[in-house]
Amino acid sequence: SALRGYPFRLLQQESSDKSILCINEASGLVVENTAEGNAFFDAENQPTQRIKDILNFLSEVEVNRTITQQAVNALADAGLITPWAINLKQGEEVVPVNGLFCVDEAALNVLDNEAFLLLRKAGGLAVAYAQLLSMNQLSMLERLGELRGQILAQSAGTSSPLPFDFLEDQGSISFEGL
C-alpha cells in the first residue's frame, strides 16, 4: 500500500484527529503542468477525482493499519509475541535473520478462556492464525530466491536479467523463451 500510494502519504495532524494528505515533491513524480501528469485541483480549486481516490485509498489503509495494530497489541498483551529465529539459505551459506517476531503457537494453545475471548474480540486470532500459516511459506521464499539466483546467473551477459521483458510501447510483459 505504501508503494501504491507513493508519492502520497497520509499523516496525522499534531494534537488533532484530522489527517493531512502529503506528497513527496522530491520523488520526481511531481510535475509543473498537467500535460505531463494529472492535476491536483479542478477549475473550482477543489481536489480532482484522482486526488480524492488517492485520499480515500490512503484513508482505508490507515483504518486497516489501526485495526491491525489493535490486534497485534492484543497478541502482545496476551504474551504471544516472541522473537522468531530464522535461518535462511543463501547459496551455500546459512544466514540468520534477526529482528522478526512470530506468534508463539504453544502459548496460544494454552490460553485460558478469558484471554482467548479477549484476543478474539480484538481481532488477534485472525492475525495469529494467518501468521502461523504463513510461516510454512519460508521454504517457498528460499526456493524463489534460489530460482532468482539461477536466472540471474543464466542471463549474465544478456540484455534482460529476467526471462521476460517489459514491452513499454504495449504496456505488457513478454515471456518468450521460457
Side-chain angles (χ1 to χ4, degrees), residues 6-9 21-32 40-41:
Y6 189 79
F8 296 96
R9 185 166 178 207
L21 181 62
C22 302
I23 186 166
N24 179 355
E25 292 180 3
S27 68
L29 299 172
V30 179
V31 294
E32 291 294 324
F40 289 175
F41 300 98

Side-chain angles (χ1 to χ4, degrees), residues 6 22 30 33 38 60 72 105 122 126 155-156 168:
Y6 189 79
C22 302
V30 179
N33 62 57
N38 298 306
E60 287 177 26
V72 171
E105 185 176 9
S155 65
E168 293 182 27

Side-chain angles (χ1 to χ4, degrees), residues 51-104:
I51 294 298
K52 289 177 185 176
D53 291 344
I54 290 167
L55 181 58
N56 288 336
F57 169 72
L58 293 174
S59 296
E60 287 177 26
V61 168
E62 183 58 26
V63 166
N64 290 329
R65 188 202 61 76
T66 300
I67 292 168
T68 302
Q69 188 61 56
Q70 290 171 349
V72 171
N73 290 347
L75 289 166
D77 292 345
L80 299 177
I81 305 289
T82 185
W84 191 8
I86 300 175
N87 294 305
L88 295 177
K89 186 176 178 185
Q90 289 185 338
E92 298 301 317
E93 188 178 349
V94 176
V95 179
V97 178
N98 299 312
L100 297 178
F101 296 85
C102 65
V103 173
D104 184 339

